[in-house]
Amino acid sequence: MDTPHPDARTLAPLPYHTAVVDYLRRNEPDVWRWASGRLTDEQQRESLRTALLRDTYRIDPGAHAEVHAQLACAMARLGIAAPATLYQSPGQEMNAALLYVPGEVHIVVQGPLFERLEPAELLAVFGHELSHYLLWSRDEGALLAADRILHDAVVSGQASNSQRETLRRYALHTELFADRGGAVAAGDAAPAVSALVKIQTGIGSVDAAAYLRQADEVVAREAGASSAHTHPETFIRARALALWWEGAPELDDWLAARLQGPLALERLDLPGQDRLQTLTRGFLAHYLADRALASDAVLAQVRMLFPDWREDEPAAGPEHFGPEAADDGVRGYLNALMLDLALLDPDGQDAALLRAGQLAQSLGSLDALMLNLRRDAGFGKRELDRYKRRLEKETKA
């Protein structure tokens, strides 16, 4: 039996959106309240309307009835009931954008969009922009508040790397949500894909099925996460939309790999910081599973990292830090944690270093640990050789 295709009822924020909103609500309550209070600024609304009237051509329904009929159809399919205005801005490059105002739809188009797109493709473009309106209107503006908090932090010039990375990923996921709305408005994923390729390339005719096959080829050749800043690469968008339209069960995992990738110290986002903190606790619990290693000095150090540390902390072993879950930097960070704890207690140092070596073997980071021992613990060649022989002996036993 065929899986029914999605409609407006199945449009929902992506898991990443929800994770970011939850993080900001929990960790930045004052900023959250401030940002939420800005969502209905009447002065900003009037400034936007004035700028649009001054800098664009307003597309009047009477003079452009066919275009407005397409917009009305897209709005009906997405369940949006609000006054809508279209504008044409200067410029030859095809594009469209929604300027968000609560309770009003304002869409600005650029270039020969109406001349180049087929009716179903225009529905998809309108649906894409209208989906931004849907997303920002949900949950009393919570998803818009998150976007503005991150954007304001980055614009201020004082943002952390994790805040910049979170905004980047948030924007990528937002575009995928809007692509889904485009497919719902068009009644099919194919017009949304062909419209996307036309706008990106300027080509006059697109075979959506052929482009999806091309996207599959790229996916088979490249396994890394997106490096895009505001919009995912076209092949990712096309494949992600096709998987969603088909109801593919692997979609969420595929998106996590393609838009986020494994945990990496150099590009941690805010939810990733939370996840790494949880995994760090779990790994330390796994390392200290041998109670003989949990001396008073070691536990005091652990509680400096985690003041609420419990004796029954859930453990997370090396299997949680494979290549698909974490990069070499994270495994090197775990090595450093183990070495710090192992060197704290001279009486238990030999057993602790042995435990660290065994775990590093399981992590695939033993060579890096050996470098740590030479550089940070002052081990010479003789001591390193002795340590390695002992580790091999214990492993065979």
Side-chain angles (χ1 to χ4, degrees):
M1 181 177 178
D2 292 338
T3 302
H5 290 306
D7 57 23
R9 293 170 297 180
T10 60
L11 279 175
L14 278 70
Y16 190 79
H17 289 125
T18 304
V20 171
V21 168
D22 288 346
Y23 178 94
L24 292 172
R25 274 180 166 155
R26 282 186 289 107
N27 294 283
E28 301 290 349
D30 293 336
V31 176
W32 184 264
R33 283 191 292 271
W34 171 79
S36 299
R38 293 178 57 216
L39 300 182
T40 56
D41 189 326
E42 187 59 34
Q43 186 176 356
Q44 284 185 327
R45 294 189 189 193
E46 288 306 314
S47 176
L48 173 63
R49 293 189 188 102
T50 300
L52 287 171
L53 291 174
R54 184 185 63 239
D55 300 332
T56 71
Y57 167 72
R58 185 168 59 195
I59 301 172
D60 188 82
H64 303 273
E66 187 174 340
V67 168
H68 274 273
Q70 290 285 86
L71 176 59
C73 178
M75 291 178 68
R77 289 181 177 179
L78 290 169
I80 298 173
T85 311
L86 289 173
Y87 309 84
Q88 178 80 38
S89 70
Q92 291 304 306
E93 186 174 339
M94 288 193 295
N95 202 358
L98 175 100
L99 302 179
Y100 181 75
V101 175
E104 301 173 11
V105 171
H106 296 269
I107 296 177
V108 181
V109 299
Q110 178 182 296
L113 210 65
F114 301 141
E115 294 79 16
R116 297 280 186 88
L117 298 185
E118 299 294 332
E121 293 170 340
L122 184 57
L123 278 173
V125 170
F126 282 151
H128 178 101
E129 301 309 328
L130 290 166
S131 295
H132 285 287
Y133 177 87
L134 277 181
L135 189 68
W136 300 151
S137 301
R138 288 181 67 106
D139 304 327
E140 300 180 338
L143 293 118
L144 177 61
D147 183 84
R148 288 189 172 172
I149 289 170
L150 295 168
H151 184 267
D152 288 350
V154 170
V155 168
S156 74
Q158 299 178 354
S160 64
N161 289 338
S162 58
Q163 288 170 329
R164 284 190 287 270
E165 180 64 12
T166 305
L167 176 60
R168 185 186 76 85
R169 296 185 187 186
Y170 197 84
L172 301 185
H173 285 82
T174 295
E175 291 306 315
L176 295 192
F177 174 88
D179 286 342
R180 295 175 181 185
V184 169
D188 194 355
V193 171
S194 58
L196 172 64
V197 177
K198 279 188 178 182
I199 290 171
Q200 293 296 318
T201 66
I203 193 169
S205 178
V206 173
D207 181 335
Y211 184 75
L212 285 170
R213 290 194 296 272
Q214 179 180 331
D216 287 343
E217 289 184 43
V218 181
V219 168
R221 293 167 182 261
E222 297 183 4
S226 172
S227 59
H229 289 286
T230 58
H231 293 63
E233 292 83 350
T234 303
F235 77 91
I236 290 179
R237 293 175 67 178
R239 179 163 170 77
L241 181 58
L243 290 174
W244 180 75
W245 189 255
E246 296 160 4
E250 71 271 22
L251 174 61
D252 286 346
D253 289 342
W254 189 83
L255 286 181
R258 283 294 175 173
L259 296 192
Q260 300 172 57
L263 283 173
L265 291 183
E266 296 301 317
R267 57 176 191 275
L268 276 181
D269 60 349
L270 296 174
Q273 287 182 338
D274 259 2
R275 191 160 73 256
L276 183 56
Q277 183 180 53
T278 299
L279 286 170
T280 299
R281 292 180 74 125
F283 185 78
L284 289 178
H286 183 74
Y287 170 76
L288 296 173
D290 181 351
R291 296 294 180 180
L293 302 181
S295 67
D296 290 342
V298 167
L299 289 177
Q301 180 72 8
V302 170
R303 290 194 174 101
M304 286 183 65
L305 297 173
F306 302 108
D308 59 343
W309 182 264
R310 308 189 317 266
E311 289 189 3
D312 60 345
E313 286 284 338
E319 68 276 7
H320 289 83
F321 299 92
E324 73 291 341
D327 73 351
D328 287 341
V330 171
R331 288 183 284 276
Y333 152 76
L334 298 177
N335 281 353
L337 284 176
M338 290 191 292
L339 188 56
D340 283 347
L341 295 179
L343 298 178
L344 273 174
D345 183 2
D347 293 335
Q349 181 173 301
D350 286 346
L353 287 176
L354 181 61
R355 173 71 169 162
Q358 291 169 331
L359 290 181
Q361 279 183 318
S362 299
L363 289 167
S365 60
L366 180 59
D367 288 344
L369 180 66
M370 299 295 282
L371 290 175
N372 291 139
L373 288 168
R374 179 165 56 83
R375 183 189 62 207
D376 303 324
F379 275 35
K381 184 178 184 306
R382 182 177 299 176
E383 290 169 301
L384 287 173
D385 288 343
R386 186 185 307 121
Y387 175 75
K388 203 166 185 177
R389 286 195 300 271
R390 184 181 173 212
L391 188 58
E392 290 172 355
K393 180 181 178 182
E394 291 292 334
T395 301
K396 289 177 182 178

